[in-house]
Amino acid sequence: MADAVGSIDTPDAQDEVPESNKKTRKGGKRAKKGPLKRLATFYRQIVAELRKVVWPSRNQLTTYTTVVIVFVLVMIGLVTVIDYGLNHAAKYVFG
């Protein structure tokens, strides 16, 4: 019985690339710039990305902060109740 086309045992013809056709990369654009130019480019890119950010208004920020604080307080209360219950259950079971 013949193998199916593209099976693991028989590689496809287009997958086989001779070693002489492979190109090696030699540094690219990074090798042409000095460290200070790369650092300046990095900071220019940071500023460009920060200009794209949509900053929340004071009202939105207050709302988000309030939601986070309330959520944290609810979770603290929940964990406290569970801890208190498990503490009493352990005392009941183990004496």
Side-chain angles (χ1 to χ4, degrees), residues 10-78:
T10 57
D12 294 335
Q14 67 266 19
D15 291 343
E16 298 175 7
V17 177
E19 293 295 324
S20 61
N21 289 349
K22 291 184 180 179
K23 293 181 180 179
T24 58
R25 185 174 176 194
K26 298 200 177 184
K29 293 181 181 178
R30 289 185 66 189
K32 296 177 184 176
K33 293 183 181 179
L36 291 178
K37 284 190 176 186
R38 287 196 319 240
L39 189 62
T41 303
F42 176 69
Y43 282 115
R44 274 196 304 271
Q45 290 174 348
I46 288 174
V47 170
E49 287 297 322
L50 285 175
R51 287 187 181 144
K52 296 178 188 177
V53 173
V54 178
W55 298 99
S57 67
R58 183 175 292 273
N59 190 22
Q60 289 173 330
L61 190 62
T62 304
T63 303
Y64 297 156
T65 304
T66 304
V67 167
V68 168
I69 290 173
V70 168
F71 177 76
V72 168
L73 290 175
V74 167
M75 292 307 295
I76 288 172
L78 182 65

